[in-house]
Amino acid sequence: MTVAVSAYAQSKKEMTGSLPEVVVTGTGTQHLLKDAPVQTEVISGRMLRNFSGKSIEDILGMLSSSFAFNADDMGAQMQMNGLGNGYILVMIDGKRLHGDVGGQNDLGLIDPHNIERIEIVKGASSALYGSDAIAGVINIITKKHREEGLLLENSTRVGSHGDIRQHNGIGFNWGRWSSWTNFQTQHSDGWQNTATEDPHQTEFPIYDSRNKTVNRHTNWQISERLSYSPMKGMELYASGSLYWKRIYRPSGKHPGVDVRTYDMEYHNASLSAGGSWKLNKTDVLTLDVDWNKHAYFYHFTDTTLTEGYVDGRYTSYFPYFPDQKELQSDQQRTMAHLKGVFQLPYDNRLSAGFEWRYDWLHAPMRVVGGKASDNTEALYVQDEFGLLKPLQLTAGLRLNRNEQFGWKLTPKLSAMLSLGNARVRATWSKGFKAPTPKELYYRYVRNMNGVYLYMGNTSLTPQTSDYYALNGEYTIGALTLTATAYINKVKDMITLVTIPRTQAPGDLIVQYDPVKVREYQNIEDARTSGVDFSARYAWKELSAGIGYSYLDTDANQYDSEHDVMQKVVIDGTAHHKGNVFATWNHSFSPAYALGIGVYGRMSSTRFYQINGNGKGYQLWRINTTHDIGHSKHTTWRVEAGVDNIFDYCDRSPHGLHLGTTTAGRTIYASLTVRFNQGKKLKNTYKSNLNQTYKNEED
């Protein structure tokens, strides 16, 4: 319910240009952005429509300076302020996105056309959201369709390299019932920025490799959300989704390098049910129950003799034939979340909740015994104390119990001092992250110049962190300036470490004969620190912004081969990142409006312990939007632009790290048609928006 209200408020702001944004992620409760006690970065609906991004990686990478991506077949390889996927909690409408519990979420599950706004909270948020929130939280808030009657949407986007993005939506709202059905499909032919293999990872120089920088891939998703309001202030809902993805891997003439006999295929599914009950004007109860599944297969394209299980017994030479599949992992998660928000005397707002989570992993070829599971329960409470205005305090505490690692307390304390047009925010919070079943039990091999063996480690201990941040914000008319200094100290950080072959289990050495063995281990300690700066200007038809992020990281890591401690830079660190944008929108007539936007992002060298560093880069983009025609119920929009205007490519050999996997100069265009029969409730809708804003001011 709170997310829906936030979306309403943002929609009205974009209709009138005057209503401040409402955010919910930092505290789990509604606040005007300027009054949020926890600093929140917002990518608004207006920014999203001007930018016309094809993916969530595209959007975050270009519109925020804090993110870096290095996508491969296993996922987005996202990093935020020095910490990677496994430390970033990604949510859709306040619910966890489910993917590879080893830390790689498939961001293709997010339909960019269906995003209303994005809220980003940096730093440990475990007190409110639990494990996986050490680096921060990204909350994707989807569009809400509340108009009476029927709504139909169609959006088709095409671009270079066979890029196709299709979105369809069907919504209705009749009486107490509402429904939203969303379909999306994405396809790319992929591209190859170089045909050279890294000579250190091959037996002989290869300059005609078939390996691509980004492989051809296709995915589709269909989702449904049905809701019913049995009485005023109460909403019940049920939702579900199906998702399929296939990555087509090329086959060349160099065995062990670019000869592939199988593609990679993913099957996701989800079911959810729950509801919210507004007890009075200020108090609300919510209950959500969710089940999610993420399955990963080898889809064979040629006859292959490989290891497998037949009737529960292992064999090292089992034949697979074209179009047969072998399950690599099936990860399922069930969660229940009960939450209440209550207004107490003396301007206190109390949030309290209970969470139960069960993770189950089935991986016949990659886990000893084939299966593993994990169970966690948590109680949390948070108090927002506003009596001391202009000073506001927020304090939270979470009690976790993990079946393998016991009890853990994670507190958080935030304070905000309001001084006219200035805000000063300070935050201290502790983070907690238990090892995942994959980090504990998983094992897999990678063929490069020989076999690399990657192993889980049952001796791992939970990771904890202390996050400190000081933020200043100042508004001068249409200009808003923000600066944040932070330090995040992570203890017992888990990462892959190269170990001697003699320390690996003997049966795995015999089975795989690896040239290198890497194992998940707890680093002794790690630290990320930096400064984020942003400036945004919005006045009438013009908006512009710049962002800069300075990052420094280090970790003390035990080198078991030489029996010494060594100081290392966390993989993927870039000391300097930035972004810039400028947009102009003008309505020439009721039948035509034009928008023009120029965007740039930059990064210095990204550092890695092995396989080379990623080169620094800068990428520029121009996008145009054209709202055409004028109809009572139908709108049309054309978008067209050029990405990577100056044709930059990182042509480092395959096997080495890249600064960016972006192709050369590309062009794209899209057409969106929207039919909305919902004029009947427009006046009521605007009235509700005004009341929402009034309640927030009160």
Side-chain angles (χ1 to χ4, degrees):
M1 182 65 71
T2 56
V3 171
V5 174
S6 171
Y8 288 163
Q10 176 62 16
S11 298
K12 183 175 186 293
K13 174 183 181 287
E14 291 168 358
M15 287 188 290
T16 66
S18 60
L19 179 59
E21 295 155 322
V22 177
V23 296
V24 298
T25 309
T27 61
T29 56
Q30 297 175 35
H31 289 276
L32 297 179
L33 177 60
K34 66 183 181 65
D35 295 328
V38 176
Q39 186 204 0
T40 305
E41 180 180 350
V42 175
I43 299 177
S44 69
R46 179 180 178 181
M47 294 173 66
L48 292 169
R49 284 198 299 275
N50 286 335
F51 181 67
S52 305
K54 69 177 181 179
S55 66
I56 190 65
E57 295 100 319
D58 193 25
I59 292 167
L60 292 175
M62 191 67 80
L63 297 181
S64 175
S65 62
S66 299
F67 292 93
F69 295 90
N70 199 18
D72 60 19
D73 287 347
M74 300 307 297
Q77 300 286 353
M78 177 170 55
Q79 190 185 72
M80 181 169 75
N81 284 357
L83 296 175
N85 296 267
Y87 303 94
I88 305 168
L89 176 59
V90 182
M91 303 192 299
I92 301 178
D93 290 333
K95 295 183 178 181
R96 290 169 174 264
L97 180 68
H98 180 64
D100 185 337
V101 297
Q104 290 293 337
N105 282 314
D106 185 351
L107 299 181
L109 288 161
I110 302 170
D111 182 358
H113 190 86
N114 201 40
I115 300 175
E116 176 67 38
R117 59 196 279 110
I118 302 172
E119 297 181 6
I120 302 164
V121 176
K122 301 171 185 176
S125 299
S126 296
L128 193 60
Y129 296 110
S131 188
D132 305 333
I134 285 180
V137 178
I138 304 169
N139 192 9
I140 310 294
I141 298 175
T142 60
K143 295 178 180 178
K144 303 300 183 295
H145 308 279
R146 302 291 188 182
E147 296 89 345
E148 183 79 8
L150 182 66
L151 171 67
L152 301 175
E153 287 185 348
N154 179 85
S155 180
T156 303
R157 172 182 171 132
V158 296
S160 304
H161 306 291
D163 187 73
I164 300 173
R165 312 277 165 153
Q166 177 67 35
H167 160 86
N168 295 95
I170 303 175
F172 71 81
N173 188 341
W174 290 326
R176 298 177 181 271
W177 292 91
S178 65
S179 169
W180 176 248
T181 305
N182 192 82
F183 173 81
Q184 65 153 329
T185 185
Q186 304 175 4
H187 173 82
S188 172
D189 288 340
W191 56 85
Q192 185 185 56
N193 290 342
T194 180
T196 303
E197 295 288 335
D198 176 26
H200 298 96
Q201 300 183 31
T202 58
E203 296 180 2
F204 50 89
I206 296 176
Y207 303 104
D208 59 349
S209 172
R210 301 297 187 270
N211 277 330
K212 290 188 174 183
T213 306
V214 173
N215 285 327
R216 183 165 70 97
H217 57 273
T218 302
N219 61 37
W220 60 260
Q221 180 188 50
I222 186 168
S223 61
E224 163 66 21
R225 189 183 193 276
L226 182 67
S227 64
Y228 173 68
S229 179
M231 57 185 289
K232 184 178 180 180
M234 178 179 287
E235 182 186 44
L236 306 176
Y237 77 90
S239 63
S241 69
L242 291 174
Y243 174 85
W244 176 92
K245 180 177 183 178
R246 183 168 175 180
I247 298 174
Y248 302 88
R249 309 214 297 171
S251 183
K253 61 182 181 180
H254 303 289
V257 178
D258 62 1
V259 174
R260 303 287 187 266
T261 60
Y262 59 86
D263 295 335
M264 304 168 78
E265 190 169 305
Y266 300 85
H267 299 176
N268 282 41
S270 70
L271 290 172
S272 300
S276 62
W277 183 18
K278 195 168 185 179
L279 304 176
N280 50 50
K281 291 184 178 180
T282 58
D283 302 344
V284 62
L285 291 174
T286 61
L287 174 64
D288 299 284
V289 179
D290 306 288
W291 170 82
N292 292 270
K293 174 188 177 72
H294 173 81
Y296 161 45
F297 300 85
Y298 285 168
H299 187 134
F300 288 92
T301 55
D302 198 358
T303 302
T304 305
L305 289 176
T306 186
E307 55 187 358
Y309 278 88
V310 181
D311 298 327
R313 299 183 63 181
Y314 171 80
T315 175
S316 58
Y317 295 102
F318 183 76
Y320 282 93
F321 301 99
D323 284 331
Q324 287 188 318
K325 301 175 187 178
E326 181 186 50
L327 176 68
Q328 300 303 303
S329 68
D330 178 5
Q331 302 170 69
Q332 299 185 32
R333 184 193 69 201
T334 303
M335 290 189 68
H337 182 199
L338 176 64
K339 178 182 177 181
V341 179
F342 309 97
Q343 190 70 36
L344 301 181
Y346 306 109
D347 204 12
N348 279 15
R349 181 154 52 172
L350 181 71
S351 302
F354 169 77
E355 280 188 2
W356 173 80
R357 172 174 172 171
Y358 178 75
D359 287 287
W360 180 79
L361 169 65
H362 176 49
M365 297 306 304
R366 301 188 178 216
V367 170
V368 177
K371 297 179 181 179
S373 63
D374 190 34
N375 187 63
T376 302
E377 301 90 32
L379 290 168
Y380 67 90
V381 63
Q382 174 186 268
D383 186 26
E384 300 174 62
F385 187 64
L387 184 62
L388 301 177
K389 292 180 180 179
L391 178 65
Q392 297 184 51
L393 301 175
T394 302
L397 183 65
R398 187 183 189 95
L399 178 63
N400 292 276
R401 192 205 72 85
N402 182 272
E403 67 174 335
Q404 298 187 60
F405 302 103
W407 300 86
K408 186 67 180 178
L409 280 172
T410 52
K412 180 172 183 175
L413 179 63
S414 298
M416 183 182 71
L417 180 64
S418 302
L419 301 170
N421 291 327
R423 303 286 188 275
V424 179
R425 299 178 178 91
T427 296
W428 165 72
S429 57
K430 291 192 71 71
F432 169 78
K433 179 173 171 57
T436 67
K438 290 189 71 171
E439 290 168 338
L440 291 167
Y441 306 110
Y442 212 55
R443 67 187 181 201
Y444 64 98
V445 296
R446 179 182 177 189
N447 290 308
M448 294 189 291
N449 185 18
V451 174
Y452 281 34
L453 172 63
Y454 296 81
M455 302 192 309
N457 182 358
T458 56
S459 299
L460 293 174
T461 59
Q463 302 165 91
T464 59
S465 70
D466 282 279
Y467 176 79
Y468 306 87
L470 181 64
N471 164 258
E473 177 183 307
Y474 188 66
T475 301
I476 312 171
L479 177 64
T480 299
L481 304 171
T482 64
T484 304
Y486 66 89
I487 182 169
N488 204 350
K489 297 180 179 180
V490 185
K491 297 180 180 179
D492 297 319
M493 186 176 181
I494 295 175
T495 190
L496 281 167
V497 176
T498 301
I499 64 173
R501 280 170 45 106
T502 54
Q503 294 185 14
D507 60 328
L508 296 183
I509 297 298
V510 172
Q511 181 178 342
Y512 297 112
D513 189 25
V515 298
K516 183 174 288 189
V517 180
R518 305 201 80 198
E519 181 184 59
Y520 284 106
Q521 289 188 4
N522 290 102
I523 292 180
E524 296 299 324
D525 59 71
R527 175 193 58 82
T528 70
S529 60
V531 176
D532 292 340
F533 170 80
S534 70
R536 290 188 181 180
Y537 177 84
W539 183 72
K540 294 185 177 181
E541 299 175 333
L542 178 67
S543 63
I546 60 172
Y548 170 73
S549 178
Y550 171 77
L551 172 67
D552 186 45
T553 71
D554 60 59
N556 292 319
Q557 179 178 293
Y558 178 64
D559 182 349
S560 57
E561 186 171 1
H562 301 95
D563 194 29
V564 296
M565 292 293 296
Q566 59 176 347
K567 190 173 287 291
V568 299
V569 174
I570 296 176
D571 277 355
T573 294
H575 290 308
H576 308 279
K577 295 192 296 292
N579 73 301
V580 60
F581 71 90
T583 64
W584 176 76
N585 294 271
H586 181 73
S587 179
F588 291 91
S589 73
Y592 181 68
L594 171 66
I596 301 175
V598 178
Y599 305 84
R601 63 183 169 109
M602 312 85 183
S603 175
S604 61
T605 300
R606 299 184 69 187
F607 297 97
Y608 293 88
Q609 296 179 47
I610 62 172
N611 297 331
N613 298 323
K615 297 177 181 178
Y617 64 88
Q618 58 174 298
L619 302 172
W620 292 87
R621 182 177 197 258
I622 185 169
N623 182 70
T624 64
T625 62
H626 310 264
D627 293 294
I628 57 178
H630 182 65
S631 172
K632 183 177 180 181
H633 297 295
T634 306
T635 60
W636 296 267
R637 165 171 277 215
V638 174
E639 299 168 347
V642 180
D643 213 346
N644 196 358
I645 297 172
F646 300 109
D647 199 26
Y648 173 78
C649 284
D650 187 340
R651 302 192 185 279
S652 299
H654 295 296
L656 299 180
H657 290 291
L658 303 176
T660 172
T661 58
T662 304
R665 184 183 301 112
T666 60
I667 60 173
Y668 61 88
S670 71
L671 171 64
T672 300
V673 182
R674 192 172 191 263
F675 172 82
N676 186 358
Q677 200 182 36
K679 182 178 179 181
K680 182 178 179 181
L681 285 189
K682 278 189 175 180
N683 292 333
T684 304
Y685 177 58
K686 291 183 179 181
S687 176
N688 289 339
L689 289 171
N690 287 326
Q691 186 60 45
T692 296
Y693 182 34
K694 184 178 184 301
N695 290 341
E696 285 300 319
E697 285 188 315
D698 293 342

